[in-house]
Amino acid sequence: MIKKAEFGAVKAAMLGVAYARSPISLRDLPEAVSRAVRNYFPGARVLSVMVDEEEVNTKYDVKVAYRDLDMELGVTSEGRLLAVDV
């Protein structure tokens, strides 16, 4: 079974797009991303952050604990919420 991260890399390779996925520290998280997490999920605790960098797009996969749920949020570097996986 192909994991989501692996599928993204395979898809990028097929399209000829440079793709990198790596963990980052919370202090390196752009303010717009932090603000989006706080605005949509007040009181959420950030567990980890991965950054997906392509040639033209950067997306942050932010794992959070919110109320009784662990979620993964997809957020653009501009702070636009793309996805919520519960």
Side-chain angles (χ1 to χ4, degrees), residues 4-83:
K4 187 186 336 182
E6 294 170 347
F7 178 73
V10 169
K11 182 175 145 187
M14 289 171 45
L15 296 174
V17 176
Y19 179 87
R21 180 174 167 88
S22 56
I24 64 168
S25 69
L26 295 178
R27 69 174 179 260
D28 294 330
L29 191 63
E31 178 57 32
V33 177
S34 295
R35 189 176 29 246
V37 172
R38 285 191 311 269
N39 289 342
Y40 285 105
F41 303 97
R45 185 169 48 96
V46 176
L47 305 174
S48 66
V49 181
M50 296 288 286
V51 61
D52 292 333
E53 295 179 289
E54 296 177 9
E55 285 182 13
V56 293
N57 297 320
T58 300
K59 184 185 94 169
Y60 295 84
D61 294 324
V62 184
K63 289 188 180 180
V64 299
Y66 181 66
R67 299 184 181 172
D68 292 333
L69 300 172
D70 287 342
M71 301 186 294
E72 186 171 329
L73 312 175
V75 184
T76 67
S77 55
E78 295 82 21
R80 190 175 60 140
L81 187 64
L82 298 172

